[in-house]
Amino acid sequence: MNEKNILFYDGECGFCHESVKLIFKMLKINTNLYFSPLQGTTARLIKKQRKDFPENLSSIILLKDGELFKASKAFFKLAPFFKFPYNSLYLLSFLPSYLLDFFYKLIASKRHLIRDKISKDLICEVPSVEMKNKFLS
């Protein structure tokens, strides 16, 4: 399981689900990136194996090439998985980390409110086989 690159997200957050769907659409074809809810079996197994796995459920966590990243660092480490022009988001990672983390934390703290505002316009879509294969429990 450690050879997989995994993006962990808050599985109980509608905004997070929508963000994962958006990220999936931005991925290059045949990318070695998988998704798993922080409340799922995969996250529990990784937490047991890794003492450095954060307990905080208010940010995304990326396990990439055996290294853990969280919050804005995780987001920018995703950029190489994206197709053009989305991979250009990496250029923003050169902004000061205190600034990036401020905006990340601001959005993370409001994610449930944001979800409530947009949820009335959301439709449950049936995921494709390709998308289903990228999700771990």
Side-chain angles (χ1 to χ4, degrees):
M1 188 173 314
N2 286 341
E3 69 278 353
K4 290 183 178 170
N5 297 305
I6 306 171
L7 178 65
F8 297 95
Y9 63 96
D10 183 352
E12 297 173 354
C13 168
F15 177 77
C16 303
H17 280 274
E18 290 304 309
S19 298
V20 166
K21 287 184 347 189
L22 179 62
I23 289 169
F24 182 80
K25 289 176 184 176
M26 295 173 11
L27 290 178
K28 294 175 188 171
I29 296 173
N30 297 325
T31 298
N32 181 24
L33 179 67
Y34 296 85
F35 303 91
S36 178
L38 285 163
Q39 299 85 351
T41 305
T42 302
R44 275 195 296 279
L45 291 172
I46 300 290
K47 282 180 191 178
K48 285 181 184 176
Q49 295 172 2
R50 310 251 338 205
K51 302 289 185 226
D52 58 341
F53 196 97
E55 293 294 323
N56 186 349
L57 292 180
S58 67
S59 72
I60 59 170
I61 298 166
L62 177 65
L63 178 61
K64 182 180 179 193
D65 299 327
E67 200 172 342
L68 285 172
F69 304 94
K70 67 180 249 184
S72 64
K73 282 190 181 184
F75 178 78
F76 289 112
K77 291 290 184 178
L78 284 172
F81 293 107
F82 296 161
K83 56 190 163 193
F84 183 82
Y86 308 111
N87 58 0
S88 301
L89 287 169
Y90 181 74
L91 297 173
L92 295 175
S93 69
F94 295 105
L95 292 171
S97 60
Y98 72 87
L99 186 64
L100 296 172
D101 287 339
F102 170 78
F103 284 110
Y104 185 93
K105 289 175 185 175
L106 180 67
I107 292 170
S109 70
K110 305 287 185 209
R111 71 187 189 278
H112 294 288
L113 294 172
I114 295 168
R115 181 223 39 226
D116 292 344
K117 295 248 188 237
I118 63 172
S119 66
K120 62 181 174 250
D121 299 327
L122 298 178
I123 343 172
C124 288
E125 60 185 79
V126 178
S128 66
V129 173
E130 181 181 289
M131 189 177 200
K132 283 182 186 177
N133 290 337
K134 291 289 184 177
F135 282 83
L136 308 170
S137 64

